[in-house]
Amino acid sequence: MRPQCTQVYVSSENVRRICRLARALSFAVAGVGNTVGMPIVKSLLARNTRLIILTRPSSKKRFPKGVKTVPVDYSDTSALAAALRENAVDVVVSTLSGEGLRAQYKLSDAAKAAGVKLFVPSEFGMPTRGATEGILGEKSKLADYVQSIDLSITRVYNGLYQEFLPFMVGMPEAGKFLIKGSGNEPLSLTAIPDVGEYLAYVLTTLPLEQLNNVELRIQGERSTLRELSKLYDVPVEFVDSIPKDIPRADEREWLQACAAKGTMSTGHDITAGRDGPALAGSANRLFPGFHFKTVKETLAL
């Protein structure tokens, strides 16, 4: 039977003991785009880790000075494995998105072949385990596949990026705070830099065996759209759908629908169809003393 992801619970005493352990791991980050990829890279570099960035040969993106970039063809499993093996990579972190999500199958195959110890797939949103449709279903299927090839996996759920809240509610295009549904369902929101800092901390302090097949459910703030609307000095409008004249209305509509169903809480259990308030943000404890920013702090409201 394929192992299931479980929740990690660690006492403060054990966390302090673990943090004293000295380890020198090598990391590879794939898909460093415009959201969480670069913060993860910067946070890992700040911890003096050995790090490479996997890039497409056509990439023109600029990276921090001194970091090693390795051009790869994500369709070539053997070449990917060779790149990981040559750089003695222990942990692969994927932040691939969009069409790149499917490249994670070959990337995980390559990681397995190269002897990588841990694979962190591109989750970084709402919980996906048990999902069968859409992008959440794609992420859940990929996680199942990684486990099926006996490769250790750690999934990070952080809810909505706090920086995406204005986009989700139609600000500033509508000049209003748009809410689909009642706006009373709790959602988790985490600042993008905090996700990067959290993951870098966990990966460089906890023993990798403790991160085997686990789900890390974090949140910077737990709130509702009704409560969050009070941060803005604009009218609040309850809508059946996001107006189509607003750019990328379909994307905003999808995010609002997820919030209305309660699935944007990191405590949500898709299989059970309910939210678990105690689970939401439960993995915050693994980073003792860290201050997760609030929406008000992140957006300077």
Side-chain angles (χ1 to χ4, degrees):
M1 180 179 295
R2 186 182 306 138
Q4 294 295 312
C5 283
T6 54
Q7 188 68 33
V8 174
Y9 296 96
V10 183
S11 69
S12 297
E13 179 180 351
N14 282 339
V15 168
R16 287 191 292 270
R17 177 181 62 81
I18 290 166
C19 290
R20 290 193 293 268
L21 297 177
R23 295 188 295 116
L25 297 174
S26 178
F27 297 85
V29 181
V32 181
N34 298 319
T35 53
V36 76
M38 190 62 79
I40 291 173
V41 166
K42 289 181 178 179
S43 293
L44 285 172
L45 289 175
R47 287 167 171 75
N48 297 314
T49 60
R50 291 181 292 139
L51 170 71
I52 63 171
I53 297 177
L54 302 180
T55 66
R56 298 184 187 277
S58 60
S59 175
K60 303 298 183 184
K61 192 172 183 65
R62 302 184 66 174
F63 299 102
K65 184 178 180 180
V67 68
K68 181 179 181 180
T69 60
V70 180
V72 294
D73 178 356
Y74 285 106
S75 67
D76 189 336
T77 304
S78 296
L80 280 167
L84 297 174
R85 193 179 296 112
E86 289 167 8
N87 289 280
V89 171
D90 297 298
V91 180
V92 171
V93 179
S94 171
T95 60
L96 291 164
S97 60
E99 294 298 320
L101 287 174
R102 292 201 57 79
Q104 293 180 110
Y105 285 91
K106 290 187 181 294
L107 180 59
S108 59
D109 284 338
K112 178 66 178 178
V116 167
K117 299 179 178 69
L118 182 68
F119 187 82
V120 182
S122 186
E123 291 275 355
F124 307 113
M126 62 195 85
T128 62
R129 179 161 55 90
T132 58
E133 300 177 350
I135 190 172
L136 303 187
E138 289 182 25
K139 291 184 175 183
S140 182
K141 184 179 178 181
L142 182 277
D144 288 343
Y145 177 76
V146 173
Q147 290 179 274
S148 77
I149 62 174
D150 198 27
L151 177 60
S152 294
I153 184 174
T154 297
R155 300 161 79 172
V156 180
Y157 304 145
N158 50 256
L160 181 73
Y161 291 136
Q162 292 179 356
E163 294 85 346
F164 285 12
L165 177 64
F167 171 83
M168 175 181 171
V169 300
M171 298 283 292
E173 293 89 349
K176 304 173 184 177
F177 193 103
L178 304 178
I179 298 178
K180 178 183 172 72
S182 70
N184 290 322
E185 296 77 10
L187 65 155
S188 301
L189 307 98
T190 312
I192 294 174
D194 287 355
V195 177
E197 191 68 11
Y198 175 87
L199 182 59
Y201 176 87
V202 169
L203 291 178
T204 56
T205 57
L206 298 185
L208 293 188
E209 58 268 22
Q210 193 172 330
L211 297 173
N212 180 26
N213 298 333
V214 302
E215 296 169 316
L216 301 176
R217 300 169 182 261
I218 64 174
Q219 63 183 7
E221 181 173 350
R222 181 175 172 86
S223 188
T224 67
L225 288 181
R226 279 183 183 262
E227 287 299 315
L228 292 168
S229 70
K230 298 176 184 178
L231 297 174
Y232 290 88
D233 187 22
V234 296
V236 177
E237 182 175 337
F238 292 87
V239 298
D240 294 326
S241 62
I242 302 299
K244 297 302 181 184
D245 60 341
I246 295 180
R248 299 166 66 186
D250 290 345
E251 295 175 47
R252 302 175 200 243
E253 178 83 13
W254 182 76
L255 290 171
Q256 288 262 1
C258 290
K261 291 185 293 186
T263 59
M264 205 167 277
S265 164
T266 57
H268 187 75
D269 184 325
I270 292 176
T271 303
R274 63 174 180 268
D275 184 30
L279 273 181
S282 57
N284 285 23
R285 72 181 74 184
L286 298 181
F287 197 168
F290 181 67
H291 172 68
F292 284 91
K293 289 184 284 294
T294 64
V295 172
K296 185 174 182 178
E297 289 171 324
T298 296
L299 301 181
L301 298 174

